Every structure is written in C-alpha cells, then in structure tokens.
Amino acid sequence: MFEPGLKGVTAIETSISHIDGKDGVLQYRGVLAKELIGKYSFEEVSFFLLKGYFPDKKELEHFSQALVKHRFLSEETKKQLELIIPHQSLISAVRSAVSLLDQSNDLWPVNLEEGIQLIAKLPTIVAYIYRKKKGLNEIEPETNFGHAANFLYMLFGEEKSVNEVDALEAYMILTAEHGLNASTFAARVVTSTQSDVYSAVTAAIGTLKGPLHGGAPSGVIQYMKEAEKSSVNETIRKKLTNGEKIMGFGHRVYKTKDPRAEALKIQFNSIDPKPAWADFTLQLEKETVNELQQLKPGRELYANVEFYAAAIMKAIGISNELFTPIFCCNRMVGWVAHIIEQSEHNVIFRPNAHYRPSV
C-alpha cells in the first residue's frame, strides 16, 4: 500500500493522546484536553502527560521546583548563543540552542530528567534570543512565577495580568500534545535510532521552520489585516482564486469544530481590558465560516486552534515572529512524552519506498 505522506497510515501505538477528528475530540491520556483548562496548571498537565497520572501536592511541588531550577542558562551557553544570534532567524537560533545544550551523555532509554530540563529551558532560550535580536537587555527567570507567567515576564520584562497569563497558559496546555503530527513524528523517528533527546527535539523544531506545520498563527494575523482592509467575501475569493489557504480555518484531522479553538475562544473573550478589535475578530470568524460553507459546501471548515491562538497572542502583545517559537515551548511537553514512550517500546522506523522508474 502506497500512501503519500503516510496519510491514514497507523505507525505507532500510544497512550499519550487520542484524536477523533470526526467528532472533534482531543483527549490527553483519556481526559478531554479542553476540560483541563482552568482546573489544572501547565505544570500539572505536563506531569500528567509525562507520567500518566496527576501529581499529588508533594509531587507537584517537586516537579515545579525542578522546572524552576532548570530555567536558567549557563554563561557558557549564553556566550555560544551570542555567536549564533546575529546570523540565524529566531526559530533557527532556537533550534541551534537546543543542540548547544547537548553534553553527549547519550542516555538510553532516554532520561526523563533531560526532557524536563528542555521543557524548563526552552522559554528562557526563546526570550533570551528574542530580546537580544531586538537589542533589549536579558531578563533573568523569576523563580516565584509559574511556567506561563515567567515566560511572559522574560519576554516583556514586566509582570502580565492574571487573565493574560491564564490565556497563554490555556494555549500552552491545549497545544502541548496532538498525536503523530510532523514534528512529533520526526522526534520519534530520530529516537527510534537510539539517538538522544536533544537530537530528537532538534529535528522536531526543524519541522516547524516549514510554514505547513508551525507558521499558521502568523498567517492568521495577515488574513485579519487583509479582511479588515476590504471584506471577508472579497479576501476569501481572491485567496481561493490564487490557490491560497484561508489561514486559521479548516484542519487536516478535524472534520468538525476544533475543540482547542472552542476552548481558546472562551479565553479570548475573558481578556480584560477587551481589545478594540475583539468584536471584529469574532465577526471575522462567523463571516469566514459562512463564506466557506457557500464556496466549499460539505467541507465543514471551521476556525482552528491557530485562529484563536493568534488572537490571544496579539491581545497579549506578543510579536508575530514569536508565534512559532512559543508553539515549540508548548509542544515540548508532547515531544518529550513521545520520545520517552518511543525509547521504552522501541522499533526503528523503516518504511518502504515505492519505486517509480524514470524512463
């Protein structure tokens, strides 16, 4: 059987997450992901994804302390980053930074402690590189803040409001894991060779440099701008005529509403003060869905997670160029969980290739 892109091919068994695209369901280890929002912190959900159960008070304290402890970058790592930052894009520098952390311990099976270090350090890496590229001073991690609050603090150099932190944390939780997507698959393929966690994560980040996996929220902002200048009808028809996608709508897996988008919409509506453009965003979603139903009947194209992720990050004041690096920080949890799972039940990936004669 030949399926381009392995579409529809089952390649692994996993206990980490389950996606039902037909009914719009995303579960983390048997729990609906959207039901975790407001009930559990990023730290608690991360522990759950990594270990398969929710931590008790003592376990959560220990796990949270480990994340805080490993937030900091060594002076040697910073010196090495200084050499990279002027010559690479933000996402490329983030990818290179992960390689710099590798001390060639090459543990097998993969060590969870190394994965926890990466979860803790990546927001610091993103903030450090971003601020250096902008000519801003480095902001050291704040040990009294949770994971999401500290990330925003390092990016902006000031404490953000509770509802802004909650909105980002919701986004981080809802995109922490999503099955065997391109980046997770890349990480598992590398791991299957009995390589290390740093190599696997570097490969995963590399997939996000491509616009088909990691760049969608930035495209949503561009679509918002274009629709505001003309009209939804005109913008959509022009894009479809040119063979362009309507960024933020439709999903390869979900054939109905994206459950993550619905949860993030609630968070977006909770942001206070309400952005001046909030009503336009809500109306844009409604008009776009209606327009797509007329132009592509039967396709069931609804707002996806990227639409409201972009809206939330814009509301917080996060620059477009940070969208993909932030997604890396979110998905790091899922990557590590899959890397651990692959290393514990390992079979090297070696699919066949269908030969097509050139003459």
Side-chain angles (χ1 to χ4, degrees):
M1 180 178 67
F2 171 52
E3 291 292 343
L6 300 180
K7 184 178 180 180
V9 176
T10 300
I12 67 167
E13 284 189 327
T14 182
S15 301
I16 301 168
S17 68
H18 169 67
I19 304 168
D20 183 338
K22 182 180 178 181
D23 292 330
V25 172
L26 170 62
Q27 294 179 334
Y28 290 170
R29 297 192 181 273
V31 179
L32 289 174
K34 65 182 182 181
E35 292 187 357
L36 299 170
I37 306 303
K39 297 179 181 178
Y40 296 95
S41 66
F42 175 85
E43 288 84 348
E44 289 172 299
V45 174
S46 297
F47 187 102
F48 177 56
L49 282 169
L50 294 170
K51 297 198 175 186
Y53 64 94
F54 286 106
D56 60 27
K57 184 177 180 180
K58 186 175 181 180
E59 288 172 318
L60 178 59
E61 182 180 357
H62 182 267
F63 183 72
S64 299
Q65 288 175 347
L67 289 176
V68 170
K69 173 186 174 183
H70 293 302
R71 285 175 182 171
F72 296 85
L73 301 179
S74 69
E75 291 304 316
E76 180 60 29
T77 298
K78 292 176 185 177
K79 288 178 182 178
Q80 292 173 322
L81 286 175
E82 294 287 349
L83 300 176
I84 295 171
I85 290 171
H87 307 290
Q88 293 189 339
S89 67
L90 179 53
I91 189 63
S92 295
V94 170
R95 179 199 61 207
S96 297
V98 171
S99 292
L100 292 175
L101 297 176
D102 183 7
Q103 296 182 345
S104 297
N105 293 321
D106 298 337
L107 301 174
W108 186 263
V110 172
N111 187 285
L112 178 57
E113 184 65 22
E114 288 188 315
I116 291 173
Q117 289 182 34
L118 283 171
I119 294 169
K121 277 186 168 56
L122 200 63
T124 310
I125 288 169
V126 170
Y128 183 87
I129 294 173
Y130 172 73
R131 291 185 66 86
K132 286 293 182 179
K133 279 186 168 293
K134 294 295 183 182
L136 302 171
N137 293 331
E138 170 196 1
I139 302 296
E140 286 284 338
E142 173 52 64
T143 58
N144 293 320
F145 290 167
H147 193 79
N150 173 64
F151 194 6
L152 288 174
Y153 173 73
M154 291 189 297
L155 287 172
F156 291 96
E158 62 183 20
E159 186 176 357
K160 284 291 187 175
S161 69
V162 172
N163 57 55
E164 286 175 316
V165 172
D166 288 346
L168 181 67
E169 184 169 55
Y171 172 51
M172 298 183 81
I173 289 172
L174 290 166
T175 53
E177 159 61 8
H178 204 243
L180 202 60
N181 51 77
S183 57
T184 300
F185 183 54
R188 290 193 74 133
V189 170
V190 172
T191 304
S192 78
T193 69
Q194 294 192 5
S195 188
D196 61 276
V197 66
Y198 300 97
S199 298
V201 169
T202 299
I205 295 175
T207 69
L208 288 168
K209 191 175 179 182
L212 295 183
H213 186 33
S218 298
V220 171
I221 298 298
Q222 183 60 35
Y223 172 56
M224 288 179 175
K225 291 179 180 178
E226 292 172 3
E228 191 172 20
K229 287 181 180 178
S230 56
S231 69
V232 173
N233 177 283
E234 182 181 341
T235 303
I236 290 179
R237 290 178 183 274
K238 180 178 179 181
K239 284 184 173 295
L240 294 181
T241 299
N242 294 334
E244 299 177 42
K245 293 183 178 181
I246 311 301
M247 303 305 288
F249 291 85
H251 194 279
R252 180 169 176 173
V253 175
Y254 295 110
K255 306 309 176 185
T256 184
K257 293 182 178 180
D258 186 335
R260 302 167 299 170
E262 292 181 299
L264 286 183
K265 183 176 182 178
I266 294 172
Q267 292 296 319
F268 177 67
N269 284 325
S270 298
I271 292 177
D272 185 29
K274 182 180 179 180
W277 45 269
D279 289 339
F280 167 77
T281 301
L282 298 172
Q283 186 63 26
L284 177 62
E285 179 200 4
K286 183 178 180 179
E287 290 185 20
T288 302
V289 170
N290 290 339
E291 195 68 30
L292 289 173
Q293 286 177 345
Q294 294 181 38
L295 297 174
K296 292 180 175 290
R299 288 287 302 276
E300 303 296 332
L301 300 173
Y302 299 99
N304 58 38
V305 68
E306 284 86 10
F307 184 81
Y308 278 105
I312 282 173
M313 288 190 281
K314 180 182 177 182
I316 295 173
I318 295 173
S319 172
N320 294 11
E321 61 192 300
L322 279 165
F323 288 3
T324 300
I326 288 175
F327 180 81
C328 288
C329 297
N330 309 350
R331 187 55 57 84
M332 180 65 79
V333 178
W335 291 339
V336 171
H338 277 275
I339 289 167
I340 295 295
E341 186 178 67
Q342 181 68 40
S343 71
E344 291 177 345
H345 308 280
N346 192 52
V347 176
I348 190 170
F349 285 92
R350 182 59 174 87
N352 295 326
H354 178 76
Y355 175 60
R356 184 179 63 194
S358 57
V359 291

